Amino acid sequence: EVQVVESGGGLVQSGGSLRLSCVASGFTFNTHAMSWVRHIPGKGLEWLSAISRSGNTTYHSDSVKGRFTISRDNSRNTVFLQLNNVRAGDTARYYCAKSPLGVLGFFDHWGQGAQVTVSS
Amino acid sequence: DVQMTQSPSILSASVGDRVTITCRASQNINIWLAWYRQKPGEAPELLIFRASSLENGVPTRFSGSGSGTQFTLTITSLQPEDSATYYCQQYNNKWTFGQGTKVEI
């Protein structure tokens, strides 16, 4: 069974940093691209970052470019999202999402999410 | 950037109804569109990809259509578990979600 499990969320002060982790199982991790998407109640879903199977190519949305960094460790079946210089607007539930084999486009499995709350 | 606009924002319907949600792209995205359902307190789940392909395990009451800039998600015979927010997402040029359509039953 495919599973992705996020961790590392919590309360962080404005301007601070946090690293989210996502451990995957039930599929061959290094053959799938992975992404991070966040949900803000009342505002909907926002794609943040994506990373290729090998980790050589990364993409970030304009809203987080320069502040958030996606990376992966295929030896540990884990993808990370480093959040730096966080703002109140980054308060959200952060989801790790898997793309199907050979596709970096849509997301066929999602974790349950990690809550990040930014305090001032 | 590609902007995605869904309508309506909120939809009220009854069990057994046929409902349609529309998604419009700000530029041509061919058929590179997916639909998701997010039930309250849960993660999103994939319903449709490539505009009209049904994901494995998704009930056949869900269907998608469209290409270019206009797309629709149709739910025939609405069920209680369909009370959720539905999102379209383009993947032709990076990735963008619509603002969501809340379906109330």
Side-chain angles (χ1 to χ4, degrees):
Chain A
E1 178 192 2
V2 172
Q3 282 196 315
V4 290
V5 179
E6 303 91 340
S7 62
L11 183 65
V12 57
Q13 283 197 321
S14 181
S17 298
L18 202 65
R19 188 173 86 156
L20 303 180
S21 300
C22 168
V23 178
S25 60
F27 64 99
T28 305
F29 183 69
N30 62 10
T31 61
H32 292 263
M34 300 292 292
S35 296
W36 288 93
V37 176
R38 68 185 177 188
H39 178 243
I40 300 175
K43 292 191 67 178
L45 298 173
E46 180 186 11
W47 169 78
L48 301 174
S49 304
I51 189 165
S52 63
R53 296 170 291 178
S54 66
N56 288 343
T57 305
T58 61
Y59 309 85
H60 294 88
S61 70
D62 290 344
S63 67
V64 305
K65 194 177 293 182
R67 298 191 302 124
F68 292 7
T69 302
I70 190 171
S71 61
R72 67 190 293 162
D73 183 345
N74 285 346
S75 69
R76 291 196 282 162
N77 284 10
T78 303
V79 61
F80 305 97
L81 186 68
Q82 177 70 39
L83 288 65
N84 293 333
N85 191 22
V86 296
R87 310 162 179 164
D90 295 322
T91 293
R93 190 159 193 87
Y94 286 71
Y95 291 100
C96 175
K98 163 189 166 292
S99 286
L101 188 67
V103 175
L104 179 48
F106 57 95
F107 315 116
D108 61 356
H109 286 89
W110 300 62
Q112 286 305 303
Q115 180 66 36
V116 172
T117 303
V118 181
S119 69
S120 54
Chain B
D1 288 5
V2 181
Q3 307 300 318
M4 306 300 292
T5 304
Q6 290 182 229
S7 60
S9 296
I10 302 175
L11 186 160
S12 296
S14 301
V15 172
D17 283 355
R18 174 189 178 99
V19 302
T20 298
I21 299 169
T22 297
C23 180
R24 177 179 298 173
S26 61
Q27 59 186 259
N28 183 2
I29 60 168
N30 296 298
I31 57 168
W32 308 121
L33 184 102
W35 289 97
Y36 302 86
R37 174 177 66 179
Q38 186 175 29
K39 299 176 184 177
E42 297 187 11
E45 58 179 308
L46 176 67
L47 301 174
I48 302 284
F49 61 95
R50 211 185 296 134
S52 61
S53 296
L54 192 68
E55 171 71 349
N56 288 340
V58 173
T60 55
R61 64 179 181 273
F62 292 95
S63 64
S65 65
S67 65
T69 61
Q70 291 270 63
F71 302 87
T72 60
L73 173 71
T74 300
I75 311 172
T76 58
S77 189
L78 199 66
Q79 297 301 301
E81 61 267 30
D82 298 332
S83 179
T85 301
Y86 293 79
Y87 296 93
C88 63
Q89 177 236 329
Q90 68 83 21
Y91 51 100
N92 181 66
N93 182 351
K94 283 198 171 178
W95 303 264
T96 318
F97 290 91
Q99 82 278 17
T101 295
K102 185 175 183 179
V103 173
E104 298 176 337
I105 299 177

